[in-house]
Amino acid sequence: MTDPTGEPAIPDPAERAALNAALHTDNIETGWWDDQGRPAPWPDDIDQWQPETGETITRRPGEQPF
């Protein structure tokens, strides 16, 4: 939807509420998507995940990290 100038129009409150409900229903907030690119719920085993780390980088004294 665009306004007369061609800019995206801001939906009215009722339309915003409907769009937000659809986002919630589709689990958009999770940040997870299935193999077809559709929004997906959080994985069941998310509480068992561990961060993946690489090798520890040692710096010389006074060396900047970047």
Side-chain angles (χ1 to χ4, degrees):
M1 180 163 73
T2 59
D3 68 11
T5 66
E7 293 293 318
I10 298 173
D12 63 35
E15 187 176 355
R16 284 196 311 268
L19 291 170
N20 288 338
L23 290 175
H24 181 71
T25 300
D26 290 340
N27 296 310
I28 296 295
E29 295 86 1
T30 66
W32 298 93
W33 291 269
D34 66 14
D35 293 336
Q36 287 73 40
R38 294 180 301 236
W42 283 76
D44 291 333
D45 64 348
I46 191 69
D47 58 340
Q48 298 169 4
W49 288 24
Q50 296 292 322
E52 193 172 303
T53 60
E55 295 180 27
T56 303
I57 299 172
T58 55
R59 295 190 252 314
R60 295 185 207 111
E63 183 179 7
Q64 296 295 318
F66 300 103

